[in-house]
Amino acid sequence: MRFLLLFSRQGKLRLQKWFTPLTDREKKKVIRDVMALVLARPPRSCNFLHWRDIKVVYKRYASLYFCTGLEDQDNELLTLEVLHRYVELLDKYFGNSAPLGPGSGSPEPLFPSRGSSTTSWVSRRSQLTLLVSAGGSGSVHDGLVSAGVWAEGGSGL
C-alpha cells in the first residue's frame, strides 16, 4: 500500500497517510489526480482502476471516499475488506455524529489508521482486537465475554 486518502464528494481532503516517501509537490499532484479520477467516475462503476503504475481501490461511505494506492502484487478485494473494517472501526470509535478529518480539532482520526491500514491481512481475531481496543471496556467487551470469544482476565484473542 502506497497511500490512504479520505476525501469528500466536493473534493476536500480529510485525511492522508503515506507509506512511501514522496516530496510535498509529488503528494499534491497524486492527490489532485487521484481525486479527479475517482470523483469523475459514475456511482455504479467498478471500485478498481489503474493510474500510472498504481492500482487505485476506492469505496464511498456516506459522503466520504476512502481511497488507497496499491502495488501491483497487492490484492484489491482484500484492500476493500480492509477499507470496510477501517470504516467499522472509525464508526465504533467516533460514533455517527463525530466529524472525520483534520478539521475536527484533534489528531485522533489518525490513531486507528496506524494499526489497521498497515496490516497486509485481515482476520476475525484482528477485527475483534481493534474493536475492543477502540470500544474500551464497554458493551463490546461484555458481549465478547458472554459469547466466549474474550476470556475474562486475559486477552483471549
Side-chain angles (χ1 to χ4, degrees), residues 57-94:
V57 177
Y58 69 93
K59 182 72 175 155
R60 181 176 161 204
Y61 289 94
S63 64
L64 282 179
Y65 284 92
F66 290 73
C67 181
T68 61
L70 304 177
E71 303 289 335
D72 284 335
Q73 68 272 13
D74 291 336
N75 187 333
E76 299 95 342
L77 293 176
L78 188 61
T79 303
L80 274 179
E81 180 71 17
V82 169
L83 288 177
H84 184 72
R85 303 288 184 191
Y86 184 57
V87 169
E88 286 179 346
L89 178 68
L90 289 174
D91 185 46
K92 182 69 180 164
Y93 190 78
F94 294 106

Side-chain angles (χ1 to χ4, degrees), residues 91-156:
D91 185 46
K92 182 69 180 164
Y93 190 78
F94 294 106
N96 287 333
S97 61
L100 210 96
S104 65
S106 73
E108 288 183 311
L110 293 177
F111 167 72
S113 69
R114 288 188 188 130
S116 61
S117 67
T118 58
T119 58
S120 60
W121 54 273
V122 176
S123 70
R124 183 77 177 145
R125 171 178 269 173
S126 63
Q127 178 193 11
L128 292 173
T129 303
L130 288 172
L131 287 175
V132 168
S133 66
S137 61
S139 61
V140 172
H141 178 264
D142 298 338
L144 292 174
V145 169
S146 66
V149 175
W150 186 268
E152 194 64 57
S155 69

